[in-house]
Amino acid sequence: MKILSFLEKDIKYFFIILGISAFLQFMFSEAFVFPSALPIHIPDEIILLRIGAVSFYIFFISLILVSLLLSNKVKAFLPLSIVLIISPILAYLNISYTYYYGIEIFIIIVAIMALIETTVKSSVKVVLLIPSGILVGLGLIASFFITFYHTTLYISYLDFLIFSAITFLVYTIFWRKTISKRSAIAYIVGLISMYPFIMFAHEIITNRYIQILMEMILPSALGITIYNPSHLLYLVYFLGIITFSIISIIIKGNGAAGIGYFMLISNVFFGIYGYLLLMYMLVPTVGYALMCYNEMKEENIIKYLSQKLKIKNQ
């Protein structure tokens, strides 16, 4: 534990490594594998896939380190870190269905405990992040049902995504100074990052072939199920808003929240189809903890509410 306490002083560097590797492995490993299967020419496809593969392993190692460091603040992350460490070994063991059933139930219970512990140890501003935590919980529960009962939760995941995106946008705007020179730069860069999504939405509207392709690629890349094809545009627009929020809050100085939300959004919907790797099952939980990391440095929500109740009773 002394080693973890020592390393925690430089935790921001581990966040940076985790964020860069998360982005590269998502772009060239998770998401890229779907368009690479289409009959289209992709320049330097093999090189890009190799970058994705290397980034995946860096991401896995940095995820373990960050999870261990988070266990100093959120104790529930210690058993989850142990599961991450032994997960490659489990792939080579002849584990029966019953044991796997037990392992997944254990992960779901402890992960939900980690979500709750993270929330109660954060400041009152965590209220704006709770919808994202609920999204993580839904992904875990959906994974359980699809893996063991071959059924899914018949809910609109897009609605939960939109609610999470809006609340995180509000959190981004009100974190630290709403209006300042740094905030203005953050918003301008964030708006510029939204432009490709606006143009992409225009291309979908005007090009039926692109629309058909994106109806297959985007849900596959993100793992989200879109029951109504007309909702594809909503998904694209809100991905633009999410990108704005992530880039803006990183520039404003809360890199942990930006990296955490990217990890959450890029992995949480995989639970709908069942997580193929235990790692992906835990990524959204770690992502939510990163979103709340800076809020755990302030007065937690329980103390805040108890003080308010005392003042009210007096």
Side-chain angles (χ1 to χ4, degrees):
M1 290 299 176
K2 289 183 179 179
I3 296 174
L4 294 179
S5 299
F6 175 76
L7 291 175
E8 193 176 8
K9 297 176 183 177
D10 298 317
I11 196 170
K12 62 181 180 180
Y13 298 112
F14 293 106
F15 287 168
I16 293 170
I17 295 169
L18 181 67
I20 294 171
S21 58
F23 176 76
L24 290 176
Q25 74 91 27
F26 172 74
M27 290 299 295
F28 304 127
S29 180
E30 281 181 39
F32 186 71
V33 69
F34 298 103
S36 65
L38 295 173
I40 54 177
H41 174 68
I42 300 172
D44 300 317
E45 180 179 350
I46 300 299
I47 295 173
L48 295 177
L49 287 172
R50 285 175 180 171
I51 291 171
V54 172
S55 300
F56 173 85
Y57 291 109
I58 297 173
F59 177 62
F60 177 68
I61 294 168
S62 56
L63 183 71
I64 292 173
L65 288 172
V66 169
S67 181
L68 284 168
L69 293 173
L70 287 173
S71 66
N72 285 331
K73 293 182 178 293
V74 182
K75 301 304 178 186
F77 274 109
L78 185 58
L80 294 179
S81 302
I82 294 170
V83 171
L84 276 172
I85 292 168
I86 65 172
S87 61
I89 302 171
L90 295 176
Y92 294 97
L93 299 178
N94 187 19
I95 300 176
S96 68
Y97 181 82
T98 305
Y99 284 113
Y100 186 76
Y101 184 89
I103 291 170
E104 184 150 339
I105 289 177
F106 171 78
I107 291 172
I108 290 170
I109 292 172
V110 178
I112 291 174
M113 288 172 60
L115 293 174
I116 296 170
E117 187 180 353
T118 300
T119 303
V120 299
K121 287 185 175 180
S122 301
S123 70
V124 69
K125 285 181 285 187
V126 78
V127 171
L128 292 169
L129 303 178
I130 288 176
S132 300
I134 294 172
L135 197 57
V136 176
L138 283 174
L140 292 167
I141 294 168
S143 172
F144 172 79
F145 277 100
I146 197 68
T147 302
F148 298 107
Y149 295 103
H150 308 293
T151 187
T152 188
L153 303 177
Y154 292 100
I155 58 176
S156 175
Y157 293 98
L158 184 60
D159 290 344
F160 281 94
L161 171 66
I162 291 172
F163 189 37
S164 170
I166 291 171
T167 52
F168 186 66
L169 174 64
V170 175
Y171 175 78
T172 298
I173 293 170
F174 287 100
W175 192 79
R176 292 269 174 93
K177 293 181 180 180
T178 304
I179 301 173
S180 67
K181 186 177 180 180
R182 184 168 182 171
S183 297
I185 294 171
Y187 301 147
I188 291 169
V189 176
L191 287 170
I192 293 171
S193 69
M194 284 183 66
Y195 182 73
F197 291 92
I198 296 171
M199 295 304 297
F200 186 36
H202 175 73
E203 190 68 24
I204 290 172
I205 293 170
T206 57
N207 192 323
R208 177 59 181 163
Y209 176 70
I210 295 295
Q211 182 181 355
I212 293 170
L213 283 180
M214 290 304 110
E215 284 173 0
M216 296 183 290
I217 293 173
L218 280 181
S220 298
L222 290 172
I224 189 170
T225 300
I226 301 176
Y227 296 111
N228 189 338
S230 65
H231 290 169
L232 180 65
L233 281 176
Y234 296 152
L235 176 59
V236 173
Y237 285 133
F238 276 95
L239 286 177
I241 291 172
I242 288 167
T243 303
F244 168 86
S245 300
I246 290 172
I247 291 176
S248 295
I249 202 163
I250 288 174
I251 295 173
K252 287 183 77 173
N254 193 347
I259 293 167
Y261 197 55
F262 174 78
M263 288 169 58
L264 190 155
I265 291 299
S266 59
N267 290 275
V268 69
F269 296 108
F270 288 174
I272 300 170
Y273 301 113
Y275 292 101
L276 298 177
L277 297 174
L278 288 179
M279 185 190 83
Y280 289 135
M281 194 173 184
L282 298 176
V283 168
T285 308
V286 176
Y288 179 72
L290 290 182
M291 291 172 68
C292 301
Y293 183 78
N294 284 301
E295 301 308 324
M296 286 190 278
K297 297 177 182 178
E298 301 179 18
E299 183 184 52
N300 67 56
I301 190 170
I302 302 298
K303 288 183 180 179
Y304 176 83
L305 292 175
S306 61
Q307 287 179 0
K308 288 293 181 181
L309 287 171
K310 283 181 182 179
I311 293 172
K312 188 176 181 181
N313 290 333
Q314 289 175 356

